[in-house]
Amino acid sequence: MRKSTTILSLVILLVALLGLATQLFPAYTEYATATQQALTYPYTWDYGEGPLLDQTMRLAHFENIYHNDLTKPPYTISNYPPLFLLAQVPFAWIFGPAFWYGRLISILSVIITALLIGFTLYTLTHDWAGALVGGAILIAFPYVQHWSMFTRIDELALVLSWAAVFTTVRFLGNRETPGYQRGQEMTFLRHELRRAGFWAAVLFFVASIYTRQTYALAAPVAAFFWLIFGTRGSWRLRILRAILLGIAVSLIVLLLFVAINLFTQGGFYLNIVTANVNAFFWRTVQNYLKEIQDKLWPLIALTAGFIVLQSIAALVGLFWKRVRPEYTSAWALALPYFLCAASVSITIGKDGSNVNYLLELCAALSLGAGAALAWVGRWKTWWARAAFQLLIIGLIAYQANVMVDWQKQNFSGYRAGREQQIDSISTLEEMIRQTPGIVLADEYMGLVPLAGKQLYFQPFEYKQLAEGKVWDEMPFLLDIANHKFDMILWYQPNSWEGAVEARWTSGQRSMIVTYYKMTDRVGDVYIYRPK
């Protein structure tokens, strides 16, 4: 009887997973189409791709990208640590300036992150269904699909952080700590320091932080918490292991920061810390919060329900030894990771921020959904197990269906619009290439390094610095009045009335209109040349 019910529950699970696959398939085909577009489209998709390509090319020529004086040109800012840029340098040496290799890194990073979430779940739960679903759902998120089409830093930071989490869980999370007695803590610490897995986790954490500095929160905190509450054995040794990992990561991050800052004569601190003065709008946070609540409530419900119930079960098992609740240590990873990812997502309210601030939240929901399914899969009562597996997979299937429609409505048209303008963008690139002097641009700033020139000015970043009273724009205004620039490109689409105002200060706009004349319009771009 037990064998027949086991087979029946397995058949039910497989049928449910097959149904989920049919809902995920459109999302995956959409992603495959998008990746093909991203890798073959030669021009910039996004404003932020331009500065990153320029910084990559400067590093390829062994130039310092962290200037220590905002008053001197070029007026460029490198807001992020250098690892993503360094990863592109070999491609830049071989292929020259291009966007495809940065996009390739982003796309591969998303795919590998999905695998790492699945591997982490399987290591924690030994449940193949939960691991498969948790990893598979990540790629269906519209936020993830959309942002991985760009040459941006976030996906590489995400995959490195998950490589660190997986390494921690796989190689540091012994179910039982070595049997050292009280007073043998130093022997235990020496044992940990000799483990290759320990240093691999440390290096992955440091690498993720030196790709994007905000990744110093969710993954490291989650790993620290899990090492203490998600493993078994001596409390003293568990705490020591977590502290040792935290100290090693923090010390290397700090030493690297000091070294790079000294090498750049304070430029690293100026660019990474001082120059991040963007205005903050709570209205933006509220808008995204409403969208997340409306679109992602099934995954939020699964993740929150799993975390709450498993936390209660863990507490019961901790204080009431006679009770052995059926729980998995995945809660000790999902809880801190979700809370920290949600905290980081609030920074999407910064002016100029985008859905890249929500990628860790997407990973947290993927982890939570997979962990919830894996937990139910451990229930001993077969009919209850099968019923709740059907419920969870049904919710995830519904979520996948919502994601497909959401992607088509909100994001797919963005790339199609750019591809329709490819002829005009090609014309702009040729105009920039043929202009002998300095060219300023905003939305299509990426065409400048693509044409073999270096950026002289980043409009949005320096507008924030000017409004934050960190940069005096008077010397730059004098450059405009003295016709230092041979051509200025203003992006003015019909769909965005305030595009120019969002990128240029009122003083800059006034000086350009006074000392330059509009000579042409190419697509959505107005061309200004000296009067």
Side-chain angles (χ1 to χ4, degrees):
M1 179 66 179
R2 183 173 182 179
K3 183 177 180 180
S4 62
T5 56
T6 300
I7 294 174
L8 178 60
S9 62
L10 179 60
V11 170
I12 293 173
L13 176 61
L14 290 174
V15 171
L17 290 175
L18 182 62
L20 173 60
T22 63
Q23 298 302 308
L24 285 172
F25 183 75
Y28 275 62
T29 55
E30 171 68 20
Y31 191 59
T33 301
T35 56
Q36 187 272 334
Q37 290 177 329
L39 295 176
T40 56
Y41 185 73
Y43 303 117
T44 175
W45 288 125
D46 172 69
Y47 172 93
E49 289 186 309
L52 291 176
L53 181 59
D54 177 72
Q55 293 158 24
T56 298
M57 299 311 299
R58 289 178 187 269
L59 282 178
H61 291 91
F62 304 101
E63 296 182 23
N64 175 25
I65 62 172
Y66 299 107
H67 307 296
N68 63 356
D69 190 349
L70 297 176
T71 65
K72 296 178 181 179
Y75 299 111
T76 57
I77 293 293
S78 299
N79 292 117
Y80 304 112
L83 191 57
F84 178 69
L85 308 172
L86 291 172
Q88 296 182 81
V89 166
F91 294 96
W93 286 336
I94 298 170
F95 301 103
F99 293 109
W100 68 263
Y101 42 78
R103 295 169 186 165
L104 179 63
I105 292 173
S106 296
I107 292 165
L108 292 177
S109 295
V110 165
I111 296 171
I112 297 172
T113 300
L115 293 174
L116 287 170
I117 290 175
F119 292 154
T120 302
L121 280 166
Y122 187 78
T123 303
L124 291 170
T125 67
H126 301 290
D127 184 274
W128 62 269
L132 180 64
V133 170
I137 195 67
L138 178 73
I139 298 177
F141 279 90
Y143 296 146
V144 173
Q145 289 197 5
H146 176 68
W147 203 252
S148 63
M149 297 301 102
F150 305 149
T151 296
R152 300 299 293 264
I153 64 170
D154 307 273
E155 286 80 11
L156 181 60
L158 183 68
V159 72
L160 289 170
S161 70
W162 269 97
V165 170
F166 171 69
T167 304
T168 300
V169 170
R170 175 66 179 82
F171 297 106
L172 302 187
N174 295 332
R175 299 301 293 170
E176 299 289 344
T177 52
Y180 298 113
Q181 304 297 320
R182 183 181 293 272
Q184 294 183 309
E185 286 80 5
M186 292 307 299
T187 304
F188 169 76
L189 292 177
R190 285 194 295 269
H191 172 270
E192 292 297 301
L193 289 173
R194 287 196 297 266
R195 298 174 68 180
F198 174 85
W199 289 109
V202 169
L203 292 177
F204 279 130
F205 278 123
V206 172
S208 69
I209 294 168
Y210 271 86
T211 303
R212 182 181 176 88
Q213 57 269 43
T214 57
Y215 280 73
L217 183 60
V221 170
F224 184 90
F225 188 89
W226 182 83
L227 284 173
I228 296 175
F229 296 99
T231 58
R232 294 178 182 175
S234 165
W235 279 101
R236 180 186 297 269
L237 297 186
R238 281 188 276 172
I239 293 171
L240 278 176
R241 177 184 287 137
I243 292 175
L244 182 64
L245 181 65
I247 290 175
V249 172
S250 301
L251 188 60
I252 294 176
V253 167
L254 180 60
L255 290 175
L256 278 175
F257 184 89
V258 171
I260 298 174
N261 201 51
L262 287 174
F263 180 77
T264 59
Q265 298 179 325
F268 192 56
Y269 179 86
L270 178 66
N271 283 258
I272 298 295
V273 180
T274 305
N276 279 299
V277 293
N278 299 38
F280 191 90
F281 302 106
W282 279 107
R283 183 64 179 174
T284 303
V285 178
Q286 293 170 354
N287 290 339
Y288 275 105
L289 178 60
K290 185 178 186 306
E291 181 176 70
I292 290 169
Q293 289 175 333
D294 292 343
K295 302 292 188 181
L296 297 177
W297 66 263
L299 290 181
I300 293 173
L302 284 175
T303 301
F306 168 77
I307 289 173
V308 171
L309 293 175
Q310 287 293 281
S311 299
I312 293 172
L315 287 173
V316 170
L318 181 64
F319 294 107
W320 196 355
K321 298 299 183 182
R322 292 185 178 181
V323 176
R324 295 296 179 185
E326 189 68 33
Y327 77 95
T328 167
S329 67
W331 75 271
L333 186 68
L335 171 63
Y337 192 85
F338 175 76
L339 293 177
C340 291
S343 301
V344 170
S345 67
I346 295 175
T347 57
I348 200 171
K350 289 175 57 179
D351 192 8
S353 298
N354 211 305
V355 299
N356 53 321
Y357 284 81
L358 304 176
L359 297 185
E360 284 183 297
L361 182 61
C362 295
L365 295 176
S366 301
L367 175 67
L373 182 61
W375 171 46
V376 170
R378 298 180 65 177
W379 292 4
K380 292 182 173 58
T381 306
W382 79 268
W383 59 266
R385 179 175 67 246
F388 275 88
Q389 284 176 332
L390 278 175
L391 175 62
I392 292 173
I393 294 173
L395 278 173
I396 297 174
Y398 171 77
Q399 179 70 88
N401 185 266
V402 170
M403 287 176 172
V404 171
D405 292 337
W406 183 13
Q407 169 71 22
K408 291 178 180 178
Q409 293 173 6
N410 290 36
F411 297 101
S412 296
Y414 180 89
R415 297 187 305 275
R418 285 295 170 92
E419 287 197 326
Q420 290 173 359
Q421 299 175 353
I422 192 168
D423 291 337
S424 60
I425 298 173
S426 176
T427 300
L428 289 172
E429 184 199 17
E430 188 60 29
M431 292 175 66
I432 294 172
R433 196 180 298 274
Q434 293 179 359
T435 300
I438 301 174
V439 177
L440 303 184
D442 42 34
E443 180 69 16
Y444 292 106
M445 188 181 0
L447 297 177
V448 176
L450 199 62
K453 298 176 178 289
Q454 290 190 337
L455 290 183
Y456 185 89
F457 179 64
Q458 293 174 217
F460 174 78
E461 289 83 350
Y462 272 81
K463 181 176 186 289
Q464 299 296 315
L465 294 175
E467 292 177 348
K469 310 299 181 185
V470 177
W471 176 60
D472 179 10
E473 67 175 343
M474 281 306 300
F476 180 70
L477 296 180
L478 291 175
D479 287 342
I480 297 174
N482 292 328
H483 294 165
K484 184 171 184 176
F485 313 111
D486 286 10
M487 187 166 65
I488 301 175
L489 279 61
W490 271 3
Y491 178 63
Q492 291 185 292
N494 295 329
S495 59
W496 185 9
E497 187 175 343
V500 174
E501 288 83 352
R503 305 277 172 75
W504 306 81
T505 68
S506 59
Q508 293 162 11
R509 298 195 303 272
S510 176
M511 295 294 281
I512 290 171
V513 171
T514 301
Y515 293 96
Y516 285 69
K517 61 181 177 181
M518 192 187 75
T519 60
D520 199 2
R521 177 178 179 176
V522 179
D524 292 331
V525 177
Y526 290 83
I527 312 298
Y528 284 83
R529 298 183 187 275
K531 288 183 178 179

